[in-house]
Amino acid sequence: SQQGEEDPQALSIQEGENATMNCSYKTSINNLQWYRQNSGRGLVHLILIRSNEREKHSGRLRVTLDTSKKSSSLLITASRAADTASYFCATDPHDYKLSFGAGTTVTVRA
Amino acid sequence: GAVVSQHPSRVICKSGTSVKIECRSLDFQATTMFWYRQFPKKSLMLMATSNEGSKATYEQGVEKDKFLINHASLTLSTLTVTSAHPEDSSFYICSAVSGRGENIQYFGAGTRLSVL
């Protein structure tokens, strides 16, 4: 069942700007992951943050996790046209099945 | 590393025919594979969990006789859509986990099924 919910549903920004999207979930988790999907393609894993971590960085990506609020955010800094894609959060509730949110569609204008 | 190949990428078939989709982990052994269905501009809906050598576990509402899953080896799982109908038209994606370390799923590129 779908647990994560992303906000906003869609985001349009200028190249070079930062993009921030949020994810809320309902139950306790082992970890939370972010994936990216280009149109008509499969998903690519971006970053994983464990339940005992609060912030994690990977290149131009910054992820935060607030387990008390059951929410996470993904920040993409200095966006590029190639960052145009849909971004999904996925929660791992201890049973190896990931529950995906509805995604945020990001459009980066050149 | 961690490459998952899904084939075919696109298939168009007539109503009533069966379609087989293959999902292969190319450079690791996948203890578990997952099959998802994705509707336009929507999230992934988990259909079933496939473990090598055992029967697949289907999610509620997914017909196991309609969507046959076989996980014959640690690198191959197949999804067969039997007697396909137009309402089965969708984007089907598989993923695989290695079973070591974190539960990161590696996805195939997806299969666009169009049933006429």
Side-chain angles (χ1 to χ4, degrees), chain A residues 1-2 31 33 35 37 40-43 45 48 50 88 92 96-98 100-102, chain B residues 34 36 38 42-44 46 49 59 91 93 97 99 101-105 107-109:
Chain A
S1 61
Q2 184 176 320
N31 64 63
Q33 303 177 35
Y35 288 79
Q37 183 182 32
R41 304 290 292 174
L43 278 70
H45 178 261
L48 179 152
R50 299 185 184 91
F88 294 88
D92 178 0
Y96 257 82
K97 294 182 191 178
L98 294 182
F100 287 85
Chain B
F34 300 91
Y36 296 88
Q38 186 177 32
K42 296 291 185 183
S43 183
L44 280 71
L46 179 64
T49 303
E59 295 299 301
F91 191 59
I93 315 176
V97 294
E102 306 283 5
N103 180 22
I104 293 173
Q105 294 189 16
F107 284 81

Side-chain angles (χ1 to χ4, degrees), chain A residues 7-107:
Chain A
D7 170 58
Q9 289 186 343
L11 184 59
S12 180
I13 56 174
Q14 200 73 31
E15 202 165 27
E17 294 180 339
N18 296 342
T20 300
M21 59 210 86
N22 304 295
C23 169
S24 60
Y25 58 93
K26 296 187 176 80
T27 63
S28 69
I29 59 172
N30 187 38
N31 64 63
L32 184 144
Q33 303 177 35
W34 285 89
Y35 288 79
R36 164 199 167 119
Q37 183 182 32
N38 286 82
S39 181
R41 304 290 292 174
L43 278 70
V44 174
H45 178 261
L46 295 176
I47 194 165
L48 179 152
I49 186 164
R50 299 185 184 91
S51 60
N52 62 353
E53 297 176 314
R54 292 295 166 258
E55 187 172 313
K56 203 160 182 180
H57 297 253
S58 176
R60 293 184 295 112
L61 305 179
R62 173 178 169 256
V63 169
T64 64
L65 179 64
D66 187 334
T67 52
S68 66
K69 295 181 180 177
K70 291 187 169 59
S71 68
S72 173
S73 69
L74 171 67
L75 167 68
I76 305 173
T77 60
S79 63
R80 305 166 182 170
D83 294 329
T84 295
S86 292
Y87 293 83
F88 294 88
C89 69
T91 50
D92 178 0
H94 311 278
D95 67 353
Y96 257 82
K97 294 182 191 178
L98 294 182
S99 181
F100 287 85
T104 294
T105 300
V106 175
T107 303

